[in-house]
Amino acid sequence: MCGILACLSSSDDSPGMRARVLECSARLRHRGPDWSGVHVDNNNFLAHERLAIVDPASGHQPLFNETKEIVVTVNGEIYNHEALKKSLKEKHSFSTESDCEVIAHLYEERGEELVQDLDGIFAFVLLDTRDNSFIAARDPIGVCSMYIGWGRDGSVWFASEMKALKDECERFEIFPPGSIYSSKQGGIRRWYNPKWYDEHIPNTPYDPLVLRAAFEKSVTKRMMTDVPFGVLLSGGLDSSLVASVAKRHLSETHAGELWGPHLHSYCVGMEGSPDLKAAKEVADYIGTVHHELHFTVQEGIDAISDVIYHIETYDVTTIRASTPMFLMSRKIKALGVKMVLSGEGSDEVFGGYLYFHKAPNKEELHVETCHKLKALHQFDCLRANKATMAWGLEARVPFLDKEFLDVAMSIDPAEKMIKPKEGRIEKYIIRKAFDDPENPYLPKHILYRQKEQFSDGVGYSWIDGLKAHAENMVSDQMLANAPNMFPINTPKTKEAFFYRMTFEKHFPQLCARLTVPWGASVACSTAAAVKWDAAWANNIDPSGRAALGVHNASYEGKEGENEEKKVEMEEKKVEMEEKKVEKEEKKVEMEEKKVEMEEKVVEGTENGDAKEEEPAAKKAKVEA
């Protein structure tokens, strides 16, 4: 991945315009620290900040066709580029080995329909200098980030991140995934229209071997690289499956030939966190070279402002999860790695979040998974893309492969229903697909480990620490005034208020606020799914532990545990008081005995004196 910027149809022909475009592009250099490029043609500007992963020697951008009449700036990876090149070589010659150059040549053959032929993740802008027209397009789910903006002079802008547009555009917004902008047709339209997008209830029977094969294909195609790569391994089901499949097939790939059979895995967490322990066990089992990266609550809090600047959101759960990923990505890049495989997307596809335990029927479960996939570009895709690219590290996500989604989203959703009494926990069908006793992919207890959200798995004290910090930073009066300060997407908690204040410092524009989704959520649910359980209405929090009665360490369980400890402490206090009273009683008893003994001593003394006086009196009488 890289950073792209384009300004098209500008009426500003001043000498300073090129410098302004370069300045905006430079704000994206963290995404592409390897090289910068810009092409100018008739007040159209295409800029690029490159992270070199495929063909690092000659694949700098912008890229061109043979005549240089077609110009393209691309952020992404085209996994089927070799097959496309083969089909185009009779008519076209290629000047680089870049996987993205194929877009320029494919446009000559297919025009705007070229996006239908692309298998990969991408955000690109293409300029046709023959008629001064242009198109921009984004991948199906929105793994690659992209924004569109409009300048005062009538120009149209595109960029990988909105920080590059905020000072030049009167208005900007998210460029929708699976869509294409056409200057000829004058607007944005969807190009990606799978059956699941219309939320039609599928009925394809579940075949575990078909599902397994589709996922293994998705993982192996993402090992297309000319530079060292690794896998993010939290020890949860999703990342563990990605790591296991990658390790199993590494030797069959070009990357394996280049870099050998050793696969490096990376995990982040606080000392003693659930993820660190599970990830180490998985790494030992599948045989990766494992790297365990630690952080503290304070280190995370210190990074919050930078995280919000790079992630460009004030969504609570995204910031919670992005912070450890942001810290981990910096350390991974320092180790010389440019690309990692990651496990995002599985929970949306298979109904893996713990709130899906409460799905009332298969129809509502399927509709909810569709809603989650459509919104993923504003949550986990945004996190995975920007938290890693903040340090020039690319994340690839096999669970969001277009072909894999066709298979997984066509399965009868009755198979995805969670039925604990029947042993069917969340994401049961993908677990079952890789439950191979003869050639196991993972340890059994890891394969069937309960879902743990990333922000929880790094250590439960992480979220608790964030809440405590927000409590110190935001007063009750400040929160009470939130509707007046933030009438749009008003924060309801001090943590949300703290993030919103930080976001506004970086992005004060109204259109920036509107790029962030908002609504009630329990354990990452949509607002609609909150209604699945009446008990959740008073426990709105995106943490997995908010799924009361489901998570093994839910807030409900934690509160109960705290209450038990409180009662236990009270009982000990009473016991100590009783012992104190008993001690006092013994003290009084001893004092009484002491007094009694003293009285006896006095009495004995008096009796002795009396006995001494009696003989003396008798002697006096005799003498008389």
Side-chain angles (χ1 to χ4, degrees):
M1 290 189 201
C2 309
I4 64 170
L5 176 77
C7 173
L8 301 146
S9 301
S10 173
S11 59
D12 186 347
D13 56 2
S14 66
M17 185 60 186
R18 179 188 176 101
R20 283 161 53 198
V21 168
L22 290 174
E23 181 184 351
C24 292
S25 182
R27 297 179 189 176
L28 305 174
R29 195 152 295 155
H30 53 273
R31 297 181 64 89
D34 296 337
W35 194 251
S36 301
V38 64
H39 179 80
V40 183
D41 184 275
N42 291 327
N43 286 352
N44 294 309
F45 301 81
L46 273 69
H48 190 266
E49 306 292 339
R50 189 184 186 208
L51 178 65
I53 292 180
V54 176
D55 186 21
S58 64
H60 54 274
Q61 296 193 37
L63 295 162
F64 305 88
N65 69 336
E66 300 91 336
T67 62
K68 296 191 180 297
E69 295 173 316
I70 309 299
V71 192
V72 62
T73 180
V74 188
N75 167 34
E77 307 293 337
I78 309 303
Y79 302 123
N80 64 335
H81 72 103
E82 291 184 352
L84 291 172
K85 281 183 180 180
K86 189 175 181 181
S87 68
L88 293 167
K89 274 191 173 178
E90 288 187 8
K91 295 183 180 179
H92 299 269
S93 60
F94 291 78
S95 58
T96 75
E97 294 299 319
S98 168
D99 54 300
C100 294
E101 185 185 344
V102 70
I103 293 173
H105 302 285
L106 195 59
Y107 175 79
E108 293 183 88
E109 301 297 324
R110 297 269 284 142
E112 294 179 3
E113 294 302 309
L114 75 94
V115 288
Q116 301 290 348
D117 295 341
L118 301 179
D119 179 11
I121 52 176
F122 53 82
F124 70 81
V125 180
L126 182 148
L127 173 66
D128 187 342
T129 63
R130 296 172 298 186
D131 57 6
N132 217 34
S133 64
F134 60 89
I135 61 173
R138 191 177 180 191
D139 65 64
I141 304 299
V143 175
C144 292
S145 57
M146 191 177 190
Y147 295 81
I148 180 173
W150 294 269
R152 185 176 298 177
D153 64 346
S155 56
V156 183
W157 294 66
F158 301 92
S160 296
E161 297 177 6
M162 66 183 179
K163 58 178 63 69
L165 304 180
K166 65 175 186 173
D167 295 327
E168 293 293 337
C169 296
E170 292 296 301
R171 186 172 71 86
F172 53 83
E173 62 187 37
I174 293 173
F175 191 96
S179 300
I180 184 170
Y181 178 97
S182 168
S183 64
K184 291 179 179 178
Q185 299 189 26
I188 299 174
R189 71 179 189 277
R190 284 200 60 78
W191 68 264
Y192 177 62
N193 294 290
K195 292 180 180 179
W196 64 262
Y197 200 86
D198 293 330
E199 299 171 13
H200 173 74
I201 309 301
N203 57 10
T204 303
Y206 165 57
D207 186 329
L209 295 182
V210 170
L211 186 62
R212 184 200 295 183
F215 184 67
E216 291 193 305
K217 181 180 179 182
S218 175
V219 173
T220 52
K221 76 170 68 169
R222 278 161 176 75
M223 290 191 278
M224 177 188 78
T225 176
D226 293 329
V227 298
F229 81 104
V231 293
L232 302 185
L233 179 58
S234 70
L237 173 71
D238 309 329
S239 64
S240 297
L241 283 179
V242 171
S244 179
V245 172
K247 183 65 173 72
R248 187 167 292 201
H249 294 282
L250 179 60
S251 61
E252 306 164 10
T253 66
H254 175 63
E257 294 176 3
L258 285 176
W259 307 107
H262 301 297
L263 179 65
H264 290 253
S265 58
Y266 307 89
C267 182
V268 66
M270 292 185 289
E271 292 283 358
S273 69
D275 280 0
L276 291 180
K277 180 182 178 182
K280 179 65 167 61
E281 186 175 357
V282 173
D284 290 343
Y285 187 85
I286 64 177
T288 62
V289 181
H290 192 58
H291 306 265
E292 197 171 274
L293 311 172
H294 300 157
F295 78 104
T296 65
V297 171
Q298 189 58 56
E299 287 173 333
I301 290 172
D302 291 343
I304 289 293
S305 181
D306 288 341
V307 168
I308 291 175
Y309 173 75
H310 281 286
I311 306 302
E312 302 181 325
T313 187
Y314 49 84
D315 174 66
V316 171
T317 188
T318 303
I319 294 169
R320 288 176 177 179
S322 294
T323 304
M325 195 171 198
F326 175 85
L327 296 173
M328 174 174 59
S329 297
R330 184 178 189 179
K331 292 184 178 182
I332 292 174
K333 186 62 185 290
L335 294 173
V337 173
K338 283 189 175 182
M339 185 272 282
V340 289
L341 302 180
S342 191
E344 281 77 13
S346 173
D347 294 308
E348 287 74 16
V349 174
F350 297 106
Y353 291 110
L354 296 183
Y355 74 89
F356 278 97
H357 278 253
K358 303 291 185 176
N361 51 61
K362 73 173 189 177
E363 290 80 12
E364 289 192 55
L365 182 145
H366 180 72
V367 170
E368 177 72 2
T369 60
C370 293
H371 289 174
K372 291 291 291 181
L373 273 175
K374 291 176 186 178
L376 199 56
H377 67 285
Q378 295 177 293
F379 296 100
D380 283 13
C381 284
L382 179 144
R383 167 179 58 79
N385 181 277
K386 294 182 182 178
T388 54
M389 289 299 286
W391 303 105
L393 177 70
E394 175 181 310
R396 298 181 182 176
V397 284
F399 280 106
L400 297 177
D401 179 78
K402 187 167 63 170
E403 293 180 10
F404 178 73
L405 287 176
D406 286 343
V407 173
M409 292 300 289
S410 67
I411 297 171
D412 188 335
E415 299 286 353
K416 299 179 183 179
M417 290 290 288
I418 301 169
K419 300 175 181 178
K421 292 181 180 179
E422 299 177 17
R424 297 175 65 92
I425 64 173
E426 64 276 357
K427 295 184 284 193
Y428 178 77
I429 60 175
I430 189 69
R431 298 176 195 270
K432 189 65 177 175
F434 285 90
D435 191 350
D436 187 345
E438 295 182 2
N439 192 16
Y441 287 78
L442 295 169
K444 200 85 164 182
H445 65 282
I446 295 291
L447 189 61
Y448 290 93
R449 182 188 176 197
Q450 184 181 58
K451 164 66 185 174
E452 192 76 86
Q453 286 173 213
F454 183 57
S455 54
D456 288 323
V458 296
Y460 295 151
S461 58
W462 167 233
I463 292 178
D464 297 339
L466 285 174
K467 289 181 177 180
H469 180 70
E471 187 71 31
N472 292 330
M473 298 297 293
V474 181
S475 68
D476 293 341
Q477 186 175 352
M478 292 167 69
L479 185 61
N481 196 40
N484 298 318
M485 288 186 65
F486 308 115
I488 298 173
N489 294 348
T490 305
K492 304 296 184 184
T493 67
K494 290 185 177 181
E495 185 185 5
F497 190 103
F498 173 62
Y499 298 153
R500 183 63 176 275
M501 284 195 305
T502 308
F503 178 87
E504 297 273 345
K505 291 177 184 176
H506 296 303
F507 307 103
Q509 299 87 350
L510 172 62
C511 53
R513 299 169 206 160
L514 296 177
T515 64
V516 180
W518 201 248
S521 176
V522 169
C524 288
S525 74
T526 64
V530 172
K531 299 176 183 177
W532 287 352
D533 192 319
W536 290 347
N538 298 319
N539 196 54
I540 300 301
D541 190 287
S543 168
R545 290 183 289 160
L548 304 181
V550 178
H551 196 292
N552 293 334
S554 69
Y555 290 143
E556 177 186 51
K558 187 179 178 183
E559 288 169 4
E561 182 183 334
N562 289 339
E563 195 62 36
E564 287 176 4
K565 287 182 178 179
K566 187 177 178 182
V567 170
E568 185 180 343
M569 288 178 69
E570 287 294 331
E571 289 176 346
K572 286 184 178 180
K573 187 177 178 182
V574 170
E575 185 181 345
M576 289 177 69
E577 287 293 332
E578 289 176 348
K579 287 182 178 180
K580 186 177 179 182
V581 170
E582 185 180 344
K583 189 176 180 180
E584 288 294 329
E585 288 176 346
K586 286 183 178 180
K587 185 178 179 181
V588 170
E589 185 180 346
M590 289 178 68
E591 286 292 333
E592 289 176 347
K593 286 183 178 180
K594 184 179 179 182
V595 171
E596 184 181 345
M597 288 177 68
E598 288 177 350
E599 287 177 349
K600 286 182 178 180
V601 169
V602 171
E603 184 181 345
T605 302
E606 291 175 349
N607 291 338
D609 291 343
K611 289 178 179 178
E612 288 178 2
E613 288 177 0
E614 187 177 343
K618 287 181 178 180
K619 183 179 180 182
K621 285 180 181 180
V622 170
E623 289 179 350

